[in-house]
Amino acid sequence: MDTNTILSLILGAALAGFVQGLSGFAFSLVSLSVWAWTLDPKLAAVMAVFGGLTGQTIAAVTVRRGFDFARLWPFLLGGLAGIPVGVLLLPLVDANLFKAGLGILLAVWCPIMLFAPHLPPVRFGGRLADSAIGLGGGIMGGFGGFSGVLPTLWCSLRRMDKDVQRSIVQNFNLTMLAATMLGYVLAGNVTREMWPAFAIVAPAMLIPSLLGGKLYIGISDQAFRRIVLTLLTLSGLALLSSSLPRLLGV
């Protein structure tokens, strides 16, 4: 493993760890915006899932925001059904095409939500809609650890307060990422050559994750919403900047 790869792993893990500690999600979005330039896509996907799982485990201990199973189970049911689909799609779908599509969604929709704060909250769908969002999150999680994107957007559209949103997204992500990591191991996506990268990512993200969690505790609901939507927008732009040149052959 060369020096540039090691530095890229450290930088991506540290930035993503802080953002995940603060927002409760987005490890994959932030880390892949760094790793997409230097790492093999399959290695980057596995590290994104591993880092996200590590960060959510830390948050489960340090940023506890309850466990409302009545709210959570529809997301979990859909998510667990979607993970095997995402794992199967990982070697089949062009990673740059996927990132470009996700980048467009985030770069267009999140600014609308950010600059139109008085949009009415979404009330329709109930548990069936929650399960559908969970299904999409599970598929995206199996494909590369993006499990928290759709539930986070959905909770924002429903205008949940920050602690309710955090409890849903954090517990959903923890479950999805654990199942995804298991799926990667069983599918043979985790190889011996990846082991040194695990040893770099875990310590690099530890302190930034704790700092992000400390900052989360002191912010208001409105500030949290702005931070989440801004992070999603920037992540979408970063995904587009790393994927479009390759798709267009520039």
Side-chain angles (χ1 to χ4, degrees), residues 2-242:
D2 60 41
T3 302
N4 287 337
T5 301
I6 293 173
L7 291 176
S8 176
L9 282 168
I10 293 172
L11 177 61
L15 289 175
F18 176 78
V19 171
Q20 180 174 256
L22 173 61
S23 67
F25 77 109
F27 187 93
S28 290
L29 288 168
V30 176
S31 63
L32 290 177
S33 68
V34 177
W35 294 341
W37 302 96
T38 56
L39 301 188
D40 174 80
K42 290 184 180 179
L43 173 62
V46 172
M47 289 303 105
V49 172
F50 170 72
L53 176 58
T54 302
Q56 293 297 352
T57 302
I58 294 170
V61 177
T62 59
V63 189
R64 298 175 184 175
R65 284 300 177 267
F67 186 86
D68 188 346
F69 189 71
R71 286 180 178 268
L72 184 61
W73 75 259
F75 291 95
L76 292 181
L77 187 65
L80 291 172
I83 284 175
V85 179
V87 172
L88 290 174
L89 287 175
L90 179 62
L92 302 176
V93 176
D94 186 292
N96 289 312
L97 187 62
F98 172 80
K99 288 189 288 185
L102 179 58
I104 291 171
L105 170 66
L106 297 177
V108 172
W109 181 245
C110 293
I112 293 175
M113 295 176 64
L114 183 62
F115 293 108
H118 300 298
L119 288 174
V122 172
R123 303 293 188 193
F124 65 84
R127 290 177 176 175
L128 183 61
D130 292 344
S131 295
I133 295 298
L135 176 67
I139 293 172
M140 292 172 64
F143 187 74
F146 297 98
S147 56
V149 175
L150 291 182
T152 298
L153 284 174
W154 185 242
C155 290
S156 295
L157 285 169
R158 286 195 180 280
R159 295 296 180 89
M160 297 179 182
D161 67 53
K162 71 166 190 169
D163 285 342
V164 172
Q165 177 171 323
R166 178 89 184 209
S167 70
I168 292 173
V169 174
Q170 184 167 291
N171 289 308
F172 177 81
N173 268 341
L174 181 59
T175 305
M176 295 305 106
L177 291 168
T180 299
M181 199 68 206
L182 177 61
Y184 279 4
V185 172
L186 295 177
N189 293 330
V190 179
T191 64
R192 183 170 296 181
E193 290 74 18
M194 295 179 180
W195 291 1
F198 287 107
I200 294 170
V201 168
M205 63 174 294
L206 177 59
I207 293 177
S209 295
L210 294 172
L211 291 175
K214 289 286 187 182
L215 183 59
Y216 164 82
I217 295 172
I219 60 177
S220 66
D221 284 355
Q222 186 177 19
F224 178 72
R225 174 181 168 82
R226 289 174 178 170
I227 288 170
V228 166
L229 292 174
T230 300
L231 287 173
L232 286 171
T233 302
L234 293 175
S235 297
L237 293 173
L239 289 171
L240 285 173
S241 68
S242 66

